[in-house]
Amino acid sequence: MTAPTAKPVLMTVDDDPGVSRAVARDLRRRYGQDYRIVRAESGPEALEALRELTLRGEPVAAILADYRMPEMNGIEFLEQAMDVAPHARRALLTAYADTDAAIQAINLVDVDHYLLKPWDPPEEKLYPVVDALVETWRAVGIRPVDEIRVLGHRWSAECFAARDFLARNSVPYRYYSIDEPEGARLLEAAGATPEDVPVIVIADGTPLLSPTDAEIASACGLTTDPVSDFYDLIVIGGGPAGLGSAVYGASEGLRTVLVERQATGGQAGQSSRIENYLGFPDGVSGAQLTDRARRQAAKFGAEVLTARDVVALEARGSARVVRFGDGSEIAAHAVVLATGVSYRSLDAPGVADLTGRGVFYGSAATEAPGCRGEDVYIVGGANSAGQAAVFFSRHAATVTLVVRGASLEASMSSYLIKQIEGIDNVVVRTRCEVVEATGEGHLQTLRLCDRDSGTVEAVKAGSMFVFIGAAPRTDWLDGVVQRDERGFVRTGPDLIVDGQRPPGWPLDRDPYHLEASVPGVFVAGDVRAESVKRVASAVGEGAMAVTLVHRYLAEQ
């Protein structure tokens, strides 16, 4: 007879017995049928309880901890609890006067939410937060982390790319360095050599030697092949704009497929924390926002194809045909281009050779543990760079922001500037640029130039993360749709010149606001010329594009 599976645990920690009982009572009333409620009255007591639960194999879904406790405050407790129950979601209970502490917990300890006392009525103030914690835990927190094993070494650019691909697609994995005994043993067992890394060992034990993204995606169960050859709507690009189009298209009854070259989320998905997105007062990581949007699109029936590179777009009569890099095609009545932008390359000697080996584009969160105790440099002065500085400050010995401009105010939100000013190990160097990167096999030294004096200084660097603007990479659309001189796609009013519609426009109406120079092709998000480069506007344009798709389809 099989033993019953233990109920997941919801833990509450508060040194005030009355408050502790009240929280436990409200949790038991709503969640008692499916969860076991565990109460502790101090941080040390709660840590001991967590250790016992871990030894017994009882999963911990969420922890709610009071901020003001003797011996160990709530932030200190939750930081230690991460090591004992790493998959549990975390929330801080706090009084209004301690709101700053709660925000600090979100920024520095990756707490998911904070709750103000009192939380009456719980139906409005407590349960929605716990529902969100539980939903996230069920989606990502109960998967085994050792199904996929990655064998490699830190300074392999190919190994970094594989781990980044898995992480950005929310595929849990365990990493083994082949420079350590266990990694070397697994490498030998796989019949591989150091030249074969990365080696991906999937759940059934099959090793993949130096696999492509498409091979990794297929082995990990990600969808790479469409189930049909014709759809109502094809969405190209899986960032906020593309996910917005997929959610609204599928929810409104359109047969929708989203095609993504690498991983859903785009640049926003790599953000360590987005704090100015409407509806998330506690902030949300790009990965969390992406995961929720992807699951929402799937719930409504949208297909999501991963690791498929779109190389051509063609109008064939009323059909809009998309061709992949392997020569296969799918078609639809309408297309939404939401390919976003990519970080521009840093043009300095040595940077290209060391990319993936200490030099990274975007936040590269998979590298954070390896940065412990190192000096990290972040190049850029916009929000993405600021968010990365806050994130890496929790791991690195020092974080230096290298900014070409005279200040951060022109390019970074004020809330981020204030956060950075309050972090002791973050330094901002304005009017400064990287002029060279050097190292034996990996980044070791950067040469920084003061743009005012011309003085060049060599500094030791463990890692460098680059955020220096964006390029749309729309060369594959050359000759298909109109683009501006930087490659961004023109739409709507921008296509009307001297009162004239774009050349070859076949319809007796002007292009709709988000419509490209080919009818039935719509553009949303950062790839659109003159768009506002914000997550909220990208999602809004993705939704608006679907409304215009409906209008276009009604004309057919």
Side-chain angles (χ1 to χ4, degrees):
M1 181 176 178
T2 303
T5 303
K7 286 183 179 181
V9 169
L10 298 179
M11 173 177 281
T12 172
V13 189
D14 199 303
D15 65 306
D16 184 326
V19 174
S20 180
R21 285 193 295 269
V23 177
R25 177 201 65 214
D26 288 341
L27 291 177
R28 197 171 288 113
R29 181 185 304 159
R30 173 72 169 256
Y31 305 100
Q33 183 173 345
D34 300 313
Y35 294 84
R36 186 159 76 89
I37 313 303
V38 173
R39 201 160 57 88
E41 295 186 1
S42 72
E45 178 186 331
L47 287 173
E48 183 61 30
L50 283 174
R51 294 186 185 101
E52 291 180 8
L53 292 167
T54 299
L55 289 173
R56 293 201 298 262
E58 296 189 48
V60 181
I63 305 170
L64 283 71
D66 183 42
Y67 171 62
R68 289 183 178 268
M69 294 189 293
E71 298 182 73
M72 179 187 296
N73 68 35
I75 297 176
E76 294 167 339
F77 160 70
L78 289 173
E79 187 169 19
Q80 294 190 36
M82 290 171 66
D83 296 328
V84 184
H87 300 306
R89 314 317 296 181
R90 298 169 297 279
L92 192 70
L93 288 167
T94 182
Y96 182 79
D98 296 321
T99 301
D100 287 345
I103 294 173
Q104 178 191 11
I106 290 169
N107 292 330
L108 301 183
V109 192
D110 206 22
V111 168
D112 297 287
H113 289 277
Y114 72 88
L115 284 162
L116 292 178
K117 299 180 185 179
W119 56 87
D120 289 329
E123 290 77 11
E124 295 181 12
K125 298 183 178 180
L126 175 65
Y127 297 153
V129 170
V130 178
D131 285 347
L133 295 175
V134 167
E135 177 189 357
T136 302
W137 176 80
R138 284 201 171 279
V140 301
I142 58 177
R143 300 174 185 169
V145 298
D146 56 353
E147 287 188 345
I148 304 293
R149 287 171 287 181
V150 179
L151 316 181
H153 58 84
R154 183 182 179 191
W155 303 124
S156 163
E158 295 79 11
C159 185
F160 161 72
R163 291 189 292 122
D164 189 57
F165 178 82
L166 290 168
R168 292 182 61 192
N169 280 288
S170 301
V171 177
Y173 69 90
R174 191 181 297 278
Y175 172 66
Y176 296 86
S177 171
I178 62 171
D179 299 322
E180 297 176 357
E182 182 64 10
R185 184 188 68 80
L186 289 170
L187 187 71
E188 182 180 1
T193 69
E195 288 70 31
D196 295 320
V197 298
V199 176
I200 312 294
V201 183
I202 61 178
D204 65 2
T206 302
L208 306 176
L209 279 57
S210 302
T212 64
D213 284 352
E215 290 170 337
I216 296 173
S218 180
C220 294
L222 300 175
T223 302
T224 58
D225 295 318
V227 300
S228 176
D229 57 7
F230 197 91
Y231 295 84
D232 294 320
L233 175 64
I234 299 171
V235 181
I236 305 175
L243 287 167
S245 288
V247 167
Y248 281 91
S251 68
E252 294 173 10
L254 298 179
R255 291 171 298 157
T256 302
V257 59
L258 183 150
V259 183
E260 169 55 45
R261 182 171 58 89
Q262 186 177 32
T264 51
Q267 285 190 347
Q270 295 179 280
S271 175
S272 55
R273 185 161 294 276
I274 302 167
E275 297 191 64
N276 57 354
Y277 186 63
L278 184 68
F280 289 86
D282 305 332
V284 61
S285 74
Q288 289 173 324
L289 186 64
T290 297
D291 180 69
R292 292 180 182 186
R294 182 174 52 231
R295 288 188 285 118
Q296 193 173 17
K299 180 185 78 172
F300 289 123
E303 288 180 47
V304 178
L305 306 183
T306 306
R308 296 306 300 263
D309 197 14
V310 175
V311 298
L313 172 65
E314 180 183 348
R316 294 181 191 166
S318 62
R320 303 294 174 258
V321 180
V322 167
R323 186 165 73 249
F324 298 125
D326 63 0
S328 61
E329 298 178 344
I330 56 174
H333 294 299
V335 168
V336 173
L337 298 174
T339 51
V341 292
S342 300
Y343 290 113
R344 289 206 308 266
S345 299
L346 177 60
D347 186 17
V351 170
D353 291 339
L354 294 172
T355 297
R357 303 200 300 268
V359 175
F360 307 97
Y361 288 87
S363 64
T366 54
E367 294 302 299
C371 293
R372 190 169 300 279
E374 291 186 346
D375 296 318
V376 168
Y377 285 77
I378 294 174
V379 182
N383 279 6
S384 54
Q387 290 159 352
V390 173
F391 174 69
F392 282 104
S393 70
R394 292 152 36 192
H395 302 272
T398 64
V399 175
T400 301
L401 263 174
V402 181
V403 183
R404 283 175 55 88
S407 70
L408 293 174
E409 279 73 10
S411 54
M412 189 179 294
S413 297
S414 60
Y415 80 89
L416 264 178
I417 296 174
K418 291 177 181 177
Q419 281 185 33
I420 290 169
E421 290 173 346
I423 302 175
D424 292 338
N425 65 334
V426 176
V427 176
V428 180
R429 295 187 59 166
T430 57
R431 299 289 296 165
C432 184
E433 60 185 334
V434 174
V435 294
E436 187 179 17
T438 60
E440 292 297 325
H442 63 90
L443 178 67
Q444 294 173 308
T445 305
L446 292 174
R447 290 171 63 82
L448 305 180
C449 179
D450 184 298
R451 301 187 69 205
D452 293 323
S453 67
T455 302
V456 176
E457 174 190 3
V459 296
K460 292 183 179 179
S463 299
M464 176 173 70
F465 300 88
V466 182
F467 304 82
I468 55 168
R473 297 189 180 178
T474 54
D475 292 346
W476 63 281
L477 291 168
D478 187 35
V480 180
V481 296
Q482 279 195 25
R483 300 177 297 151
D484 66 15
E485 63 280 358
R486 295 178 299 163
F488 293 92
V489 181
R490 288 194 171 102
T491 60
D494 291 337
L495 295 169
I496 307 299
V497 179
D498 297 329
Q500 298 298 310
R501 294 166 183 158
W505 182 259
L507 302 181
D508 189 25
R509 63 163 174 81
D510 291 345
Y512 293 133
H513 183 67
L514 300 181
E515 197 168 20
S517 56
V518 174
V521 176
F522 299 85
V523 189
D526 290 359
V527 74
R528 189 177 68 83
E530 307 301 326
S531 65
V532 178
K533 306 301 190 275
R534 287 289 185 269
V535 175
S537 61
V539 173
E541 287 191 5
M544 180 180 174
V546 172
T547 298
L548 298 177
V549 166
H550 281 294
R551 190 179 300 176
Y552 168 78
L553 294 178
E555 301 170 348
Q556 304 307 300

